[in-house]
Short mmCIF file of all heavy atoms in Angstrom, two decimals:
data_model
loop_
_atom_site.label_atom_id
_atom_site.label_comp_id
_atom_site.label_asym_id
_atom_site.label_seq_id
_atom_site.Cartn_x
_atom_site.Cartn_y
_atom_site.Cartn_z
N LYS A 167 -157.86 124.85 -58.20
CA LYS A 167 -158.23 123.46 -57.92
C LYS A 167 -157.19 122.83 -56.98
O LYS A 167 -157.53 122.14 -56.03
CB LYS A 167 -158.30 122.64 -59.19
CG LYS A 167 -159.35 123.13 -60.18
CD LYS A 167 -159.21 122.38 -61.47
CE LYS A 167 -160.06 123.05 -62.56
NZ LYS A 167 -159.81 122.46 -63.87
N ALA A 168 -155.94 123.08 -57.32
CA ALA A 168 -154.86 122.41 -56.56
C ALA A 168 -154.88 122.86 -55.10
O ALA A 168 -154.73 122.02 -54.21
CB ALA A 168 -153.50 122.70 -57.21
N SER A 169 -155.08 124.17 -54.90
CA SER A 169 -155.05 124.64 -53.50
C SER A 169 -156.24 124.05 -52.74
O SER A 169 -156.11 123.68 -51.59
CB SER A 169 -155.05 126.17 -53.45
OG SER A 169 -156.36 126.66 -53.51
N LEU A 170 -157.35 124.02 -53.41
CA LEU A 170 -158.51 123.39 -52.77
C LEU A 170 -158.20 121.95 -52.41
O LEU A 170 -158.57 121.46 -51.35
CB LEU A 170 -159.71 123.43 -53.70
CG LEU A 170 -160.62 124.62 -53.51
CD1 LEU A 170 -161.63 124.68 -54.63
CD2 LEU A 170 -161.32 124.51 -52.17
N LEU A 171 -157.54 121.29 -53.35
CA LEU A 171 -157.22 119.89 -53.13
C LEU A 171 -156.24 119.74 -51.98
O LEU A 171 -156.31 118.82 -51.21
CB LEU A 171 -156.65 119.27 -54.39
CG LEU A 171 -157.69 119.05 -55.45
CD1 LEU A 171 -157.05 118.81 -56.79
CD2 LEU A 171 -158.56 117.86 -55.06
N ARG A 172 -155.30 120.71 -51.89
CA ARG A 172 -154.35 120.65 -50.79
C ARG A 172 -155.09 120.78 -49.47
O ARG A 172 -154.84 120.06 -48.51
CB ARG A 172 -153.28 121.72 -50.94
CG ARG A 172 -152.02 121.21 -51.64
CD ARG A 172 -150.85 122.14 -51.43
NE ARG A 172 -151.13 123.49 -51.96
CZ ARG A 172 -151.03 123.81 -53.24
NH1 ARG A 172 -150.70 122.90 -54.14
NH2 ARG A 172 -151.29 125.03 -53.64
N ARG A 173 -155.97 121.80 -49.46
CA ARG A 173 -156.77 121.98 -48.22
C ARG A 173 -157.54 120.69 -47.91
O ARG A 173 -157.64 120.26 -46.78
CB ARG A 173 -157.72 123.15 -48.39
CG ARG A 173 -157.32 124.34 -47.55
CD ARG A 173 -158.32 125.44 -47.68
NE ARG A 173 -158.22 126.11 -48.98
CZ ARG A 173 -159.24 126.76 -49.58
NH1 ARG A 173 -160.42 126.77 -49.03
NH2 ARG A 173 -159.07 127.35 -50.73
N GLN A 174 -158.04 120.18 -48.99
CA GLN A 174 -158.82 118.95 -48.81
C GLN A 174 -157.95 117.86 -48.23
O GLN A 174 -158.32 117.14 -47.31
CB GLN A 174 -159.33 118.51 -50.20
CG GLN A 174 -159.97 117.16 -50.20
CD GLN A 174 -161.48 117.30 -50.16
OE1 GLN A 174 -162.00 118.38 -50.10
NE2 GLN A 174 -162.17 116.19 -50.21
N SER A 175 -156.73 117.75 -48.76
CA SER A 175 -155.88 116.62 -48.30
C SER A 175 -155.39 116.86 -46.91
O SER A 175 -154.98 115.91 -46.23
CB SER A 175 -154.72 116.45 -49.26
OG SER A 175 -153.83 117.54 -49.13
N ALA A 176 -155.44 118.13 -46.42
CA ALA A 176 -155.04 118.37 -45.04
C ALA A 176 -155.94 117.62 -44.08
O ALA A 176 -155.49 117.05 -43.10
CB ALA A 176 -155.12 119.87 -44.75
N LYS A 177 -157.18 117.60 -44.44
CA LYS A 177 -158.09 116.79 -43.60
C LYS A 177 -158.43 115.50 -44.34
O LYS A 177 -159.53 115.03 -44.34
CB LYS A 177 -159.35 117.55 -43.22
CG LYS A 177 -159.66 118.77 -44.05
CD LYS A 177 -160.98 119.37 -43.61
CE LYS A 177 -161.25 120.63 -44.43
NZ LYS A 177 -162.57 121.16 -44.27
N SER A 178 -157.43 114.98 -44.99
CA SER A 178 -157.74 113.91 -45.96
C SER A 178 -158.32 112.67 -45.29
O SER A 178 -159.24 112.05 -45.82
CB SER A 178 -156.46 113.54 -46.73
OG SER A 178 -155.55 112.94 -45.84
N ALA A 179 -157.75 112.35 -44.11
CA ALA A 179 -158.21 111.11 -43.49
C ALA A 179 -159.73 111.15 -43.30
O ALA A 179 -160.46 110.26 -43.76
CB ALA A 179 -157.52 110.90 -42.16
N VAL A 180 -160.16 112.21 -42.63
CA VAL A 180 -161.60 112.37 -42.37
C VAL A 180 -162.35 112.53 -43.70
O VAL A 180 -163.39 111.91 -43.92
CB VAL A 180 -161.86 113.58 -41.46
CG1 VAL A 180 -163.33 113.67 -41.13
CG2 VAL A 180 -161.04 113.46 -40.19
N ALA A 181 -161.75 113.38 -44.57
CA ALA A 181 -162.43 113.67 -45.82
C ALA A 181 -162.63 112.42 -46.64
O ALA A 181 -163.70 112.18 -47.19
CB ALA A 181 -161.65 114.71 -46.61
N ASP A 182 -161.58 111.60 -46.68
CA ASP A 182 -161.68 110.35 -47.43
C ASP A 182 -162.83 109.52 -46.91
O ASP A 182 -163.66 109.03 -47.65
CB ASP A 182 -160.38 109.52 -47.26
CG ASP A 182 -159.32 110.03 -48.21
OD1 ASP A 182 -159.64 110.91 -49.04
OD2 ASP A 182 -158.18 109.56 -48.11
N ILE A 183 -162.85 109.42 -45.60
CA ILE A 183 -163.89 108.61 -44.98
C ILE A 183 -165.27 109.13 -45.36
O ILE A 183 -166.15 108.38 -45.75
CB ILE A 183 -163.70 108.56 -43.47
CG1 ILE A 183 -162.46 107.75 -43.14
CG2 ILE A 183 -164.93 107.98 -42.76
CD1 ILE A 183 -162.07 107.74 -41.67
N VAL A 184 -165.42 110.46 -45.31
CA VAL A 184 -166.69 111.04 -45.65
C VAL A 184 -167.04 110.75 -47.11
O VAL A 184 -168.17 110.40 -47.44
CB VAL A 184 -166.68 112.55 -45.38
CG1 VAL A 184 -167.92 113.19 -45.96
CG2 VAL A 184 -166.59 112.79 -43.90
N LEU A 185 -166.02 110.80 -47.94
CA LEU A 185 -166.24 110.52 -49.36
C LEU A 185 -166.66 109.07 -49.57
O LEU A 185 -167.39 108.74 -50.48
CB LEU A 185 -164.99 110.80 -50.21
CG LEU A 185 -164.57 112.26 -50.23
CD1 LEU A 185 -163.31 112.39 -51.11
CD2 LEU A 185 -165.68 113.14 -50.78
N TRP A 186 -166.15 108.23 -48.72
CA TRP A 186 -166.45 106.78 -48.89
C TRP A 186 -167.82 106.43 -48.34
O TRP A 186 -168.35 105.35 -48.63
CB TRP A 186 -165.39 105.95 -48.17
CG TRP A 186 -164.07 106.01 -48.82
CD1 TRP A 186 -163.82 106.17 -50.15
CD2 TRP A 186 -162.79 105.93 -48.18
NE1 TRP A 186 -162.48 106.22 -50.40
CE2 TRP A 186 -161.80 106.06 -49.20
CE3 TRP A 186 -162.37 105.76 -46.88
CZ2 TRP A 186 -160.44 106.00 -48.94
CZ3 TRP A 186 -161.01 105.72 -46.61
CH2 TRP A 186 -160.05 105.84 -47.63
N ILE A 187 -168.35 107.32 -47.51
CA ILE A 187 -169.60 106.90 -46.84
C ILE A 187 -170.72 106.61 -47.83
O ILE A 187 -171.39 105.56 -47.70
CB ILE A 187 -170.01 107.93 -45.76
CG1 ILE A 187 -169.11 107.70 -44.53
CG2 ILE A 187 -171.47 107.78 -45.36
CD1 ILE A 187 -169.32 108.67 -43.42
N PRO A 188 -170.97 107.44 -48.83
CA PRO A 188 -172.10 107.11 -49.72
C PRO A 188 -172.00 105.74 -50.36
O PRO A 188 -172.97 104.96 -50.28
CB PRO A 188 -172.06 108.24 -50.75
CG PRO A 188 -171.38 109.35 -50.09
CD PRO A 188 -170.39 108.76 -49.16
N PRO A 189 -170.86 105.38 -50.95
CA PRO A 189 -170.80 104.01 -51.49
C PRO A 189 -170.92 102.94 -50.44
O PRO A 189 -171.52 101.86 -50.68
CB PRO A 189 -169.46 103.94 -52.21
CG PRO A 189 -168.68 105.11 -51.72
CD PRO A 189 -169.65 106.15 -51.32
N LEU A 190 -170.34 103.19 -49.25
CA LEU A 190 -170.44 102.20 -48.16
C LEU A 190 -171.90 102.00 -47.74
O LEU A 190 -172.36 100.89 -47.54
CB LEU A 190 -169.60 102.61 -46.97
CG LEU A 190 -168.08 102.48 -47.13
CD1 LEU A 190 -167.38 102.92 -45.86
CD2 LEU A 190 -167.70 101.06 -47.47
N VAL A 191 -172.60 103.14 -47.63
CA VAL A 191 -174.02 103.06 -47.24
C VAL A 191 -174.79 102.29 -48.32
O VAL A 191 -175.65 101.47 -48.04
CB VAL A 191 -174.59 104.47 -47.02
CG1 VAL A 191 -176.11 104.42 -46.92
CG2 VAL A 191 -174.03 105.06 -45.73
N ASP A 192 -174.42 102.58 -49.58
CA ASP A 192 -175.04 101.84 -50.66
C ASP A 192 -174.83 100.34 -50.50
O ASP A 192 -175.77 99.55 -50.66
CB ASP A 192 -174.40 102.28 -51.98
CG ASP A 192 -175.33 103.14 -52.80
OD1 ASP A 192 -176.38 103.53 -52.25
OD2 ASP A 192 -175.04 103.36 -53.99
N GLY A 193 -173.59 99.99 -50.17
CA GLY A 193 -173.29 98.56 -49.99
C GLY A 193 -174.07 97.98 -48.82
O GLY A 193 -174.57 96.87 -48.89
N SER A 194 -174.15 98.76 -47.72
CA SER A 194 -174.82 98.21 -46.53
C SER A 194 -176.31 98.03 -46.79
O SER A 194 -176.95 97.23 -46.12
CB SER A 194 -174.57 99.10 -45.32
OG SER A 194 -175.17 100.33 -45.52
N ARG A 195 -176.85 98.76 -47.76
CA ARG A 195 -178.26 98.57 -48.08
C ARG A 195 -178.52 97.14 -48.52
O ARG A 195 -179.49 96.50 -48.14
CB ARG A 195 -178.71 99.55 -49.16
CG ARG A 195 -178.96 100.92 -48.57
CD ARG A 195 -180.01 101.73 -49.29
NE ARG A 195 -180.21 101.42 -50.69
CZ ARG A 195 -179.95 102.27 -51.68
NH1 ARG A 195 -179.48 103.47 -51.41
NH2 ARG A 195 -180.19 101.94 -52.91
N ILE A 196 -177.57 96.63 -49.34
CA ILE A 196 -177.70 95.23 -49.77
C ILE A 196 -177.57 94.30 -48.59
O ILE A 196 -178.34 93.36 -48.42
CB ILE A 196 -176.65 94.94 -50.87
CG1 ILE A 196 -177.05 95.64 -52.13
CG2 ILE A 196 -176.48 93.44 -51.06
CD1 ILE A 196 -176.26 95.27 -53.35
N THR A 197 -176.54 94.58 -47.75
CA THR A 197 -176.33 93.74 -46.58
C THR A 197 -177.60 93.67 -45.73
O THR A 197 -178.06 92.62 -45.34
CB THR A 197 -175.17 94.31 -45.74
OG1 THR A 197 -174.00 94.33 -46.55
CG2 THR A 197 -174.91 93.48 -44.52
N ILE A 198 -178.17 94.86 -45.43
CA ILE A 198 -179.32 94.91 -44.53
C ILE A 198 -180.55 94.25 -45.16
O ILE A 198 -181.21 93.45 -44.53
CB ILE A 198 -179.62 96.37 -44.14
CG1 ILE A 198 -178.49 96.94 -43.30
CG2 ILE A 198 -180.92 96.47 -43.38
CD1 ILE A 198 -178.61 98.43 -43.05
N SER A 199 -180.81 94.58 -46.43
CA SER A 199 -182.02 94.04 -47.03
C SER A 199 -181.91 92.52 -47.15
O SER A 199 -182.88 91.81 -46.89
CB SER A 199 -182.34 94.70 -48.37
OG SER A 199 -181.21 94.69 -49.19
N LEU A 200 -180.71 92.06 -47.52
CA LEU A 200 -180.52 90.60 -47.62
C LEU A 200 -180.79 89.94 -46.26
O LEU A 200 -181.52 88.94 -46.16
CB LEU A 200 -179.09 90.30 -48.05
CG LEU A 200 -178.67 88.83 -48.04
CD1 LEU A 200 -179.46 88.05 -49.05
CD2 LEU A 200 -177.19 88.68 -48.27
N THR A 201 -180.25 90.57 -45.18
CA THR A 201 -180.42 89.96 -43.86
C THR A 201 -181.89 89.97 -43.45
O THR A 201 -182.41 88.94 -43.02
CB THR A 201 -179.60 90.78 -42.85
OG1 THR A 201 -178.29 90.86 -43.31
CG2 THR A 201 -179.65 90.11 -41.49
N ILE A 202 -182.53 91.11 -43.59
CA ILE A 202 -183.93 91.22 -43.12
C ILE A 202 -184.81 90.22 -43.88
O ILE A 202 -185.56 89.45 -43.29
CB ILE A 202 -184.45 92.66 -43.26
CG1 ILE A 202 -183.74 93.56 -42.29
CG2 ILE A 202 -185.95 92.71 -43.03
CD1 ILE A 202 -184.16 95.00 -42.34
N VAL A 203 -184.69 90.22 -45.21
CA VAL A 203 -185.54 89.34 -46.00
C VAL A 203 -185.27 87.88 -45.64
O VAL A 203 -186.20 87.12 -45.39
CB VAL A 203 -185.31 89.58 -47.53
CG1 VAL A 203 -186.07 88.54 -48.34
CG2 VAL A 203 -185.75 90.98 -47.92
N SER A 204 -184.00 87.51 -45.55
CA SER A 204 -183.70 86.09 -45.30
C SER A 204 -184.14 85.67 -43.90
O SER A 204 -184.60 84.56 -43.74
CB SER A 204 -182.23 85.76 -45.46
OG SER A 204 -181.65 86.51 -46.44
N VAL A 205 -183.93 86.55 -42.93
CA VAL A 205 -184.29 86.13 -41.57
C VAL A 205 -185.79 85.99 -41.42
O VAL A 205 -186.28 85.03 -40.84
CB VAL A 205 -183.69 87.09 -40.49
CG1 VAL A 205 -184.27 86.77 -39.13
CG2 VAL A 205 -182.19 86.96 -40.46
N ILE A 206 -186.52 86.96 -41.98
CA ILE A 206 -187.99 86.88 -41.88
C ILE A 206 -188.49 85.62 -42.58
O ILE A 206 -189.24 84.81 -42.02
CB ILE A 206 -188.66 88.15 -42.44
CG1 ILE A 206 -188.40 89.32 -41.49
CG2 ILE A 206 -190.16 87.95 -42.61
CD1 ILE A 206 -188.92 90.65 -41.98
N ALA A 207 -188.02 85.42 -43.81
CA ALA A 207 -188.45 84.24 -44.55
C ALA A 207 -187.99 82.96 -43.83
O ALA A 207 -188.73 81.98 -43.74
CB ALA A 207 -187.90 84.27 -45.98
N GLY A 208 -186.76 83.03 -43.32
CA GLY A 208 -186.20 81.85 -42.64
C GLY A 208 -186.98 81.49 -41.39
O GLY A 208 -187.27 80.31 -41.15
N VAL A 209 -187.32 82.50 -40.60
CA VAL A 209 -188.08 82.24 -39.37
C VAL A 209 -189.44 81.65 -39.72
O VAL A 209 -189.90 80.67 -39.09
CB VAL A 209 -188.23 83.53 -38.54
CG1 VAL A 209 -189.25 83.34 -37.44
CG2 VAL A 209 -186.89 83.91 -37.93
N PHE A 210 -190.08 82.22 -40.72
CA PHE A 210 -191.39 81.73 -41.15
C PHE A 210 -191.30 80.25 -41.52
O PHE A 210 -192.07 79.40 -41.08
CB PHE A 210 -191.88 82.55 -42.34
CG PHE A 210 -193.24 82.18 -42.81
CD1 PHE A 210 -194.36 82.58 -42.08
CD2 PHE A 210 -193.41 81.46 -43.97
CE1 PHE A 210 -195.64 82.24 -42.50
CE2 PHE A 210 -194.66 81.10 -44.39
CZ PHE A 210 -195.76 81.49 -43.67
N LEU A 211 -190.29 79.95 -42.34
CA LEU A 211 -190.08 78.55 -42.79
C LEU A 211 -189.74 77.66 -41.62
O LEU A 211 -190.21 76.50 -41.54
CB LEU A 211 -188.93 78.56 -43.80
CG LEU A 211 -188.80 77.41 -44.77
CD1 LEU A 211 -190.06 77.33 -45.62
CD2 LEU A 211 -187.58 77.64 -45.67
N SER A 212 -188.97 78.20 -40.68
CA SER A 212 -188.46 77.34 -39.62
C SER A 212 -189.56 76.89 -38.66
O SER A 212 -189.43 75.86 -38.04
CB SER A 212 -187.39 78.09 -38.83
OG SER A 212 -187.98 79.17 -38.14
N VAL A 213 -190.66 77.68 -38.59
CA VAL A 213 -191.77 77.23 -37.70
C VAL A 213 -192.25 75.85 -38.15
O VAL A 213 -192.49 74.98 -37.34
CB VAL A 213 -192.93 78.28 -37.77
CG1 VAL A 213 -194.13 77.74 -36.98
CG2 VAL A 213 -192.49 79.60 -37.21
N PHE A 214 -192.34 75.67 -39.47
CA PHE A 214 -192.82 74.38 -39.98
C PHE A 214 -191.82 73.27 -39.69
O PHE A 214 -192.17 72.18 -39.32
CB PHE A 214 -193.08 74.50 -41.49
CG PHE A 214 -194.20 75.46 -41.79
CD1 PHE A 214 -193.92 76.76 -42.19
CD2 PHE A 214 -195.53 75.07 -41.62
CE1 PHE A 214 -194.94 77.65 -42.45
CE2 PHE A 214 -196.55 75.96 -41.85
CZ PHE A 214 -196.27 77.24 -42.26
N PHE A 215 -190.52 73.60 -39.86
CA PHE A 215 -189.51 72.59 -39.57
C PHE A 215 -189.51 72.23 -38.08
O PHE A 215 -189.35 71.07 -37.70
CB PHE A 215 -188.14 73.03 -40.03
CG PHE A 215 -187.97 72.98 -41.51
CD1 PHE A 215 -187.78 74.13 -42.24
CD2 PHE A 215 -188.01 71.78 -42.17
CE1 PHE A 215 -187.65 74.10 -43.63
CE2 PHE A 215 -187.89 71.72 -43.56
CZ PHE A 215 -187.71 72.87 -44.28
N ALA A 216 -189.69 73.27 -37.24
CA ALA A 216 -189.70 73.03 -35.79
C ALA A 216 -190.87 72.14 -35.41
O ALA A 216 -190.69 71.12 -34.73
CB ALA A 216 -189.76 74.34 -35.05
N LEU A 217 -192.06 72.48 -35.91
CA LEU A 217 -193.25 71.66 -35.60
C LEU A 217 -193.07 70.28 -36.20
O LEU A 217 -193.45 69.29 -35.61
CB LEU A 217 -194.49 72.34 -36.13
CG LEU A 217 -194.90 73.66 -35.42
CD1 LEU A 217 -196.12 74.26 -36.08
CD2 LEU A 217 -195.17 73.40 -33.94
N GLY A 218 -192.47 70.23 -37.39
CA GLY A 218 -192.22 68.94 -38.04
C GLY A 218 -191.30 68.08 -37.20
O GLY A 218 -191.44 66.87 -37.19
N LYS A 219 -190.37 68.72 -36.55
CA LYS A 219 -189.42 67.94 -35.74
C LYS A 219 -190.05 67.45 -34.44
O LYS A 219 -189.65 66.45 -33.89
CB LYS A 219 -188.17 68.74 -35.46
CG LYS A 219 -186.94 67.81 -35.49
CD LYS A 219 -185.66 68.49 -35.23
CE LYS A 219 -184.64 67.42 -34.89
NZ LYS A 219 -183.35 67.98 -34.50
#
Side-chain angles (χ1 to χ4, degrees):
Chain A
K167 297 172 192 172
S169 86
L170 266 171
L171 287 164
R172 266 196 300 281
R173 249 183 286 155
Q174 172 100 357
S175 69
K177 18 177 178 170
S178 68
V180 184
D182 278 353
I183 289 174
V184 170
L185 295 181
W186 291 328
I187 283 176
L190 287 180
V191 167
D192 252 12
S194 65
R195 283 210 332 245
I196 288 190
T197 301
I198 294 172
S199 49
L200 172 67
T201 308
I202 291 180
V203 173
S204 327
V205 170
I206 289 177
V209 166
F210 183 75
L211 200 61
S212 67
V213 174
F214 296 98
F215 285 115
L217 292 177
K219 216 180 163 186

